Every structure is written in structure tokens, then in C-alpha cells.
Amino acid sequence: MKPPSEILAAPDAADEAAAVENPVAGIDQAVGDFTYDVKYEFDAGSGLNESVIRYISGVKKEADWILDFRLKAYQTFLDKPMPTHWATKDLENINFDKIRYYLSQGQKPKRTWDEVPDDIKRTFERLGIPEQERKFLAGVEAQFDSEAAYSNVKDIVAKQGVIFCNSTEALREHPEIFRKWFGKVIPTGDNKFSALNSAVFSGGSFIYVPKGVKVAMPLQAYFRINAENFGQFERTLIIADEGAEVTYMEGCTAPKFSTSTLHSAVVELVALKGAKIQYITVQNWAPNVFNLVTKRAIAMEDAEVKWIDCNIGSRLTMKYPGVVLKGKRARGEVVSIALANDGQHQDTGAKMIHAADDTTSLIVSKSISVGQGRATYRGVVHIPKHLKGCKNNTECDALLINTNSRTDTYPAIVVRGDSHAVQHEASVSKVSEDMIFYMQQRGLTEAQAMSLAVNGFVNDLVRQFPMEYSVELKRLIDLEMEGSVG
Amino acid sequence: MSSLEIRSLYVALAATPDKPIVKGLDLTIKTGEVHAIMGPNGTGKSTLSKAIAGHPDYVITSGDVLLDGKSILEMEPDERARAGLFLAFQYPSEIPGVSIANFLRAAVQARLAEGEELDATAYYKRLYSKMDLLKIDRKFTSRSVNEGFSGGEKKRCEILQMAMLEPKFSLMDETDSGLDIDALRIVAEGVNTLKGGELGVLLITHYQRLLNYIVPDFVHVMYDGRIVKSGDKSLALELEAKGYDWVKTELAAATA
Ligand SMILES: Nc1ncnc2c1ncn2[C@@H]1O[C@H](COP(=O)(O)OP(=O)(O)OP(=O)(O)O)[C@@H](O)[C@H]1O
Ligand SMILES: [Mg+2]
């Protein structure tokens, strides 16, 4: 692949003009608002106990060590309290007994687009995945409910020795590669939800990029929830061996349901010496979804990890992508955008744990709160005393769309020692009535004006996204703003 | 030919509807005409223009505004804009992160029929030619709308938008303030070219100077929320020479 710096290069003016689609094009609001009747071949029922976990492990024909791992995790899950002492009390509204922990159509990953069942194709179509992105589907690991319903690791990727498959297949076929790091970057007991995921995980992507291999195309996966009360617990582990480079993109849309849904993923990234990993997420959850995700990377000497994380929708999102900067000169970056609409709470941030000399971290967070929406930034930057020459730069900007919106910033920057450079900037701004009127006076509707203002606010970050994603992101913002004006 | 008719218009702040700022104003503008409004600070000139454009701060407590015989008062500000009404703001807003090119593109797109896609190449060609006409550096296309612009740059950017959106009627609120002599001439030339092509202009200004470049067909004096005197170009010269006290005295005599 292109080194991240090239992907990130800001387009010049002419490029930009061609690349940026009309930001106010017509929107199909019903997108993500539908569901199909699907008969599940395997269904673990509602609620969680040991036999559910044995059932999941059995369906997946897992090795004993994985079953043990799951059962221990289940115990940890039961023992861990909810983090309500610092996080929102809304977590108490999750009813773990009502959640279905495993559903599957029992399909094997498919190899070609032709073999993909029609109803699944229809799902992709309804999700409005644009043509440009469909081409990516040729090299995509897309997840339909718990299992990968469609997967076609593009030949070139495989030819380079890259392994790209789902968690079940990876742990069964390549334990020698994945077992070493599985559950190591994020230990089971990291938090209650990482423990839950470790007990019931299924699906997700496991990727191994061999030494020195630069994956030319971004690897991509679409996730989607398609059953009421159905929680998704995907598990992702990406290992970039020494000098390897890979970009991974994850997109989510979910149908709207009346009862709460839980999504709790664990994503672990391992960037070995000199490797580069870029992980891009654009999520658009239905407003009833609890999205509680643990994402962390470990970066060895001279390695670079960049999380680009965009959160739209959901009832509550809690997500703080982190990088443990383990080797000298390692670099970690978190770029995040969160949009909290009425009734939503985006509790997001970043964690940078400096553990070697001359490590650098950068956090740029932009949040938008609309109506009663609430955006919270939580950041941790930790630089211990014995290190030298570490740098952190943190920038948090919040945009409020009306006076009811709420935004909080909780930066925790712990820096010991005196040879470090740390900067923190925060700003809060508002979309003023005059600004909206100005745009309306030029012929844009109020919703179009709002979405242009929001797009403008996040513009410098969106430029860092691959083109298809920035277009999709604009569309999602338009969609959110459509619904937010009276 | 189109017309914009303002009929005994009363405008107040939405918060204080019983305290009118514009108090019974009548004015009819036809395309091809330039009407200048002059008047002391705080008489309600900007209030008039913003109320016509539909700014939510203001309420029209009585009277009407008709575009080609049809009332626009029930229309949203953006509908009024698309119907052909343009306001060059006295204090244009800044829109961080939104480039002039993208902003105008969205505005042009908003005027197309549903399903019709804007021709990007043609759009850029037109944008660049208007910028050349107004002597605006092409680098401005990628700058955020009005952000960090100098006073004069903001005013030129307003005229660029007007040129791109081709309104039927343009309410220009002190577009001349902040412009240097060269810019003033360029802006005036721009307006004069557009005027030939079916544009009606309401020019709010404090300075007779502008009227040397954009020659008005009518000059109106606004005082205390009303038009108290109308005439031709010579009225502007007279005002410049005598100041507003002269109008006030005359008015007092007339109402006495
Ligand atoms: N949004 C507002 N809030 C409070 N007062 C307002 C508002 N808009 C107008 N006013 C008041 O109404 C009166 C008329 O203001 P307006 O801006 O229309 O005057 P103007 O004729 O344009 O003056 P100038 O020549 O200084 O631009 C002033 O007293 C002003 O303070
Ligand atoms: Mg004024």
C-alpha cells in the first residue's frame, strides 16, 4: 500500500474540486431502517451462561484452548463491575439476559461475488454502498450477522502472503501466527466489555502481513446487525510484521430497532518494528445501539499506528482507541470525529501510553453535539518519568448546534520527567443563527446549511480519509442533519 | 421584466414585536433599475434588507413584500433566495472549513431541478471567469468562506456570489464600505454588467461616491424607518452637501 503519509496528503485545490461530491445531494432516509427475515441455522438463544459459550465454541469447532479462554473470560465478565463510577449510568440499562449472543446462517466464507446469496447482495444495495466501494467488495471481508457471509481475499493480497480471514478461521488454521498476540494487547480483564467480547466473540477480521510486505489496497469489512436484540461481538487482530504496511477500513450501518442492541468489539493491532498500520472506522449505528468498543494497538521500534475513528449514531458509544508506544521512536495517532444527535451520547477519546524514549503521539478529536446530544472527550496521555524525548500533541474541538447540547472534556495528561514536549488545545464553537441564515440566503435549506457547517468543521480531518469514505461520511452527516432540523 | 414590491412594511425585532424599526415603508423596484437608499445610522436600512430576505430575528408585523405580484412572506429564506432574491450582507458571516468553491457549488446545485447534476467543468469555468472579471485571485476558491478575509475581500466575495447566482433582485447593504477605489470601480463594473442582464438593485450606501460608478435611477432617503424623500441622482449630491439635518427639518415642517 501507499505509505500513510501519501494517503494522507491533502489534495490540491483542483483535486479537491473533483473529489468532493455535492454535499447536499438527495438522501434516502430509509437507509438502515430495514430488516430481512433471515432463518438462522445456529442460534444460541437469549441470555448468557456457560452452555451458551460451549454452544458457540462447538458450532465453530474450536480448539480446547479457545474454549478455555472463553470460559475464563466469562468468569471475568461476571466478576467485573460496570464502570459506572466514571462513565454514564445509562450502562445499567443494558439487559444482558435479553441479548442474543450468537446467530449464524452457517455459511462458509464465499469466494466470489456471484456466490453471494441474493438477500445479502440486497442488503449491501440497501446500505447504499456506492459503486466505487462495491469494487472494494471484491477484496472484502464483509460480515453479515455473526459469520462472514462473504469473503474474497483478493488474489494479490494472498499472493503476497497476507492472511485475511475471520476470527474462527484464523484461530483454527493459523494458531501459530495469531495465538501469540490474541488477547495480549487487550487482556480479557481490561474492562467488563472486553471480557464479554472474549467470552462470546465471533466474526471480525484477522490479518497477518508478512515482513516487508506493503499491502497496496486498503482491506475492508462491512459489519451489520440484522436481528432484534442481537449483539455483535466481533474480534479483530491485525499483525503487521517488521516493515510491513497495511490500511484496514471498517464501516457499519445498522437497522433501527425498538429495543436496545449491544455492540461490543475488541480490536487489537500489533505493529512490529518499522511497521505501519492505519485503521479507519466510519460507524453509523441506529439510535438504540450501545456501542462499547475496546481498541488498542502496540507499536514497536519505529512503528506507526494511526486510528481514524468516526462515530455517528448509537445511543451510547464508549470508545477510546489507544496506542502503547513500546519501542523507541514509535508513533501513535488518533484522529476522531463524533456526532451526537438528540438522545445520543458519544463518549470517545484516546489513550496514549508512552513506554519508550523518543515516542510521539498525536490526538485530534472533533465532536459535534446536536439538540440534546452529548459529546464527551476522555483522553489519557501517560509519559513516565524515566523516559526521554517524548512528545504529545492533543487537540479537542467541539461544535455545538444548539444551546441544549452538551460537551465535556476530560483530558488526563500524566507527564513525569522534564525532557518531554506536551501540548494541549481545546476549543468550543457554535453554529450561529447568522451563519445558517447566510447560507440559506444563498439558497441552501436549513438542513443543507447545517450539514455544510458540520462538514466544514470536520473538513480538515475528513481530508485524511480515503476518498470513498469521505464521501460516505459527508452523506452520513447530511442524513443526520436532515433529521435534526424542525 | 420582474418587480419587487414593498408595501407599507412594518418590521420589528421578533423579541419586541410592538416596537417597529421599519415603520410603513413603500418601494417598488423593477429589473433594470437601481434604487439607492441613504439614511443615517440606525434608521433601519439593514433591518429592511434582512427582513425582506427572511432573517429569523425579525418579524413583519404588517404590510407585504411581493415578488412578481406574489407575496414571499410565507417563504423560507432559502426559497426566497432561489426565487431570485440576493442579499449582499453588510457583515458577511464566516463559514470555517467550507471553501468558496464548494459553497457556491452547493448554492448553484440547489437551484437545479431535482435529479439534475451540476456540470463541474462548466461550473469551474464560469466561476473562474467571474473571478477574473472581479479581479479575485483564483487562490480564493479554496479558502474558507469569509474566514480571515479583509473587509474589502469579504465585499468582493459577496459580489462574486451574486454574479454566480444571477438573482433577479439584489439588496446590497453597504457593499461599498471597506472597498478601496480600485475595488469600488471593479465592483461597480460587475454590478453594471449584471444590471444589463435583468437585475434590479437596491443599493444601501452612505456615500455618494459609489453612485458615480453605479448610477442610480432613484435615490431615496430613509429616516426613522420610512422613506421620507425620493428623487434622482441629484438628491444624493444634495444630501452630501447638506447632510441629513436638512431632511429632518423639511420633514418636521411637512408634518407640523
Ligand atoms: N438583531 C438586532 N438586535 C437588536 N437591535 C437591533 C437588531 N437589528 C436592528 N436593531 C436595532 O434596530 C435599529 C436599526 O438598525 P439597522 O441595522 O437596521 O440600521 P441601519 O440603518 O442599517 O444602520 P447603519 O447605517 O449603521 O448600518 C438600530 O437601533 C439597531 O440597534
Ligand atoms: Mg446597516
Side-chain angles (χ1 to χ4, degrees):
Chain A
M1 72 168 220
K2 289 191 223 166
S5 60
E6 263 176 57
I7 292 182
L8 301 189
D12 63 41
D15 264 7
E16 185 204 13
V20 178
E21 240 188 20
N22 164 27
V24 293
I27 300 301
D28 176 9
Q29 290 213 52
V31 165
D33 215 340
F34 58 99
T35 178
Y36 290 97
D37 262 343
V38 178
K39 285 197 186 57
Y40 296 96
E41 205 171 310
F42 302 102
D43 181 346
S46 296
L48 191 55
N49 52 48
E50 269 199 29
S51 64
V52 167
I53 289 163
R54 286 180 193 281
Y55 176 84
I56 296 172
S57 194
V59 171
K60 292 175 170 295
K61 303 190 178 66
E62 287 178 341
D64 289 347
W65 71 269
I66 304 173
L67 177 60
D68 282 349
F69 176 89
R70 288 182 185 275
L71 291 171
K72 278 202 195 99
Y74 176 57
Q75 205 48 55
T76 310
F77 165 71
L78 294 178
D79 295 346
K80 281 251 161 199
M82 277 285 190
T84 43
H85 56 292
W86 59 269
T88 167
K89 295 260 180 293
D90 195 21
L91 287 172
E92 283 162 8
N93 294 316
I94 300 172
N95 187 342
F96 290 103
D97 294 334
K98 282 232 173 103
I99 288 167
R100 297 163 79 176
Y101 291 86
Y102 184 76
L103 291 170
S104 167
Q105 290 169 290
Q107 289 153 321
K108 288 240 161 62
K110 292 284 191 292
R111 284 293 151 192
T112 69
W113 182 243
D114 282 347
E115 289 171 73
V116 174
D118 282 346
D119 60 332
I120 290 169
K121 279 185 185 162
R122 234 178 332 158
T123 299
F124 282 128
E125 224 159 273
R126 283 289 284 142
L127 287 173
I129 300 163
E131 215 64 58
Q132 296 146 303
E133 287 169 39
R134 282 188 204 176
K135 78 171 188 249
F136 279 108
L137 287 171
V140 145
E141 170 85 339
Q143 185 177 16
F144 184 78
D145 295 344
S146 296
E147 288 301 314
Y150 170 72
S151 115
N152 183 354
V153 178
K154 210 155 189 191
D155 292 346
I156 6 165
V157 181
K159 271 184 206 144
Q160 288 182 295
V162 175
I163 301 170
F164 179 24
C165 54
N166 66 39
S167 52
T168 309
E169 199 181 320
L171 293 174
R172 192 167 51 216
E173 313 288 334
H174 311 282
E176 73 290 353
I177 290 174
F178 292 108
R179 191 171 174 178
K180 181 173 170 198
W181 288 104
F182 176 70
K184 299 298 191 320
V185 184
I186 301 170
T188 297
D190 187 80
N191 62 75
K192 192 170 179 78
F193 295 96
S194 62
L196 176 62
N197 175 285
S198 300
V200 298
F201 71 91
S202 97
S205 300
F206 273 44
I207 298 171
Y208 170 75
V209 185
K211 259 185 202 170
V213 170
K214 297 176 172 34
V215 184
M217 63 188 295
L219 302 176
Q220 197 175 37
Y222 276 90
F223 298 108
R224 183 163 178 278
I225 298 178
N226 195 42
E228 192 155 355
N229 269 10
F230 179 35
Q232 268 207 333
F233 304 95
E234 72 262 7
R235 185 93 194 184
T236 293
L237 171 59
I238 300 176
I239 304 169
D241 213 326
E242 293 181 9
E245 294 180 11
V246 64
T247 293
Y248 183 78
M249 307 204 277
E250 174 201 304
C252 298
T253 49
K256 292 174 181 152
F257 294 124
S258 52
T259 47
S260 295
T261 339
L262 174 63
H263 176 260
S264 190
V266 166
V267 179
E268 298 175 290
L269 307 184
V270 179
L272 296 176
K273 192 175 168 182
K276 288 182 185 166
I277 301 178
Q278 179 162 267
Y279 192 105
I280 303 165
T281 308
V282 174
Q283 292 192 319
N284 175 31
W285 294 109
N288 58 348
V289 170
F290 285 91
N291 181 35
L292 312 167
V293 174
T294 313
K295 286 182 164 175
R296 198 167 307 146
I298 186 159
M300 302 306 198
E301 213 171 289
D302 294 307
E304 285 181 32
V305 173
K306 177 167 186 166
W307 297 99
I308 297 182
D309 208 82
C310 179
N311 301 293
I312 294 178
S314 83
R315 167 174 173 170
L316 170 66
T317 287
M318 288 174 65
K319 195 191 319 182
Y320 323 96
V323 183
V324 179
L325 300 152
K326 186 93 195 297
K328 281 188 180 164
R329 292 172 303 278
R331 189 184 154 81
E333 210 174 313
V334 173
V335 171
S336 78
I337 297 174
L339 196 158
N341 222 323
D342 266 334
Q344 302 175 352
H345 184 180
Q346 300 283 0
D347 195 323
T348 59
K351 290 182 183 173
M352 292 295 180
I353 311 299
H354 291 253
D357 290 345
D358 302 314
T359 46
T360 308
S361 61
L362 173 68
I363 301 169
V364 186
S365 151
K366 296 212 177 195
S367 70
I368 301 124
S369 318
V370 187
Q372 310 282 341
R374 182 172 168 199
T376 305
Y377 169 82
R378 277 177 225 278
V380 173
V381 176
H382 184 84
I383 305 178
K385 192 170 181 178
H386 64 276
L387 297 183
K388 282 194 290 288
C390 298
K391 288 194 196 98
N392 167 265
N393 206 335
T394 300
E395 196 188 316
C396 312
D397 299 314
L399 183 71
L400 304 181
I401 297 208
N402 70 40
T403 44
N404 296 329
S405 306
R406 179 166 166 191
T407 177
D408 315 284
T409 304
Y410 305 101
I413 301 184
V414 180
V415 182
R416 303 212 166 79
D418 48 16
S419 70
H420 308 300
V422 178
Q423 258 186 46
H424 180 254
E425 278 174 52
S427 79
V428 179
S429 50
K430 272 190 175 177
V431 173
S432 70
E433 201 173 55
D434 275 331
M435 192 204 283
I436 295 300
F437 176 68
Y438 184 82
M439 292 193 259
Q440 282 192 275
Q441 210 303 304
R442 300 311 185 230
L444 305 179
T445 63
E446 191 182 355
Q448 289 168 339
M450 290 274 199
S451 96
L452 207 54
V454 171
N455 273 306
F457 174 69
V458 297
N459 187 37
D460 52 335
L461 297 192
V462 172
R463 280 156 172 261
Q464 304 190 19
F465 285 54
M467 207 244 275
E468 315 79 53
Y469 265 45
S470 61
V471 169
E472 185 167 326
L473 186 56
K474 280 202 159 71
R475 209 185 306 125
L476 289 176
I477 290 174
D478 289 347
L479 193 63
E480 284 297 310
M481 301 324 292
E482 285 282 328
S484 72
V485 296
Chain B
M1 192 180 56
S2 289
S3 67
L4 181 68
E5 234 178 296
I6 304 161
R7 281 196 197 153
S8 33
L9 196 71
Y10 282 79
V11 182
L13 283 172
T16 50
D18 50 334
K19 288 189 198 143
I21 299 171
V22 174
K23 303 165 184 173
L25 189 137
D26 286 282
L27 183 63
T28 299
I29 307 169
K30 298 194 173 76
T31 41
E33 293 177 352
V34 174
H35 291 247
I37 288 194
M38 302 181 82
N41 295 131
T43 41
K45 303 180 296 297
S46 295
T47 300
L48 171 70
S49 65
K50 284 195 269 183
I52 294 172
H55 194 292
D57 277 359
Y58 304 97
V59 281
I60 290 176
T61 50
S62 81
D64 208 346
V65 179
L66 311 164
L67 184 61
D68 291 332
K70 269 175 50 194
S71 175
I72 59 167
L73 296 189
E74 291 302 312
M75 292 161 79
E76 292 295 318
D78 52 296
E79 294 176 282
R80 299 182 196 195
R82 293 195 299 272
L85 204 63
F86 185 89
L87 171 59
F89 288 76
Q90 183 176 4
Y91 304 109
S93 292
E94 300 184 356
I95 315 174
V98 179
S99 70
I100 291 187
N102 283 337
F103 180 55
L104 270 172
R105 189 176 166 151
V108 171
Q109 173 80 48
R111 284 162 172 77
L112 299 179
E114 211 163 289
E116 200 183 332
E117 270 304 314
L118 177 133
D119 174 348
T121 322
Y123 162 75
Y124 274 95
K125 225 171 129 186
R126 206 160 75 82
L127 177 63
Y128 288 145
S129 82
K130 302 286 184 197
M131 291 178 82
D132 292 349
L133 195 76
L134 294 166
K135 299 211 167 53
I136 299 173
D137 195 310
R138 289 192 185 180
K139 273 190 283 213
F140 270 80
T141 48
S142 56
R143 282 186 60 175
S144 296
V145 179
N146 295 323
E147 200 183 29
F149 286 21
S150 74
E153 285 167 348
K154 282 185 183 168
K155 296 302 170 82
R156 271 199 253 189
C157 176
E158 293 292 287
I159 300 305
L160 173 65
Q161 295 178 49
M162 177 172 104
M164 285 299 287
L165 301 178
E166 298 180 331
K168 288 184 193 156
F169 292 96
S170 181
L171 315 174
M172 300 173 65
D173 194 356
E174 297 198 26
T175 304
D176 55 333
S177 348
L179 290 183
D180 61 41
I181 304 283
D182 289 341
L184 190 66
R185 196 175 298 128
I186 292 162
V187 164
E189 271 166 28
V191 173
N192 287 331
T193 340
L194 295 169
K195 189 175 65 140
E198 283 289 284
L199 172 73
V201 178
L202 180 68
L203 210 58
I204 297 171
T205 183
H206 287 296
Y207 306 105
Q208 179 325 103
R209 192 184 61 169
L210 175 67
L211 306 179
N212 289 333
Y213 298 104
I214 305 175
V215 181
D217 301 289
F218 305 92
V219 174
H220 310 278
V221 180
M222 186 164 171
Y223 180 72
D224 193 23
R226 255 172 297 235
I227 288 177
V228 293
K229 201 171 174 63
S230 297
D232 61 12
K233 185 180 151 39
S234 62
L235 179 57
L237 290 168
E238 210 174 339
L239 277 175
E240 185 131 293
K242 302 188 190 167
Y244 289 111
D245 279 345
W246 156 67
V247 182
K248 285 185 214 168
T249 327
E250 211 173 71
L251 188 68
T255 48

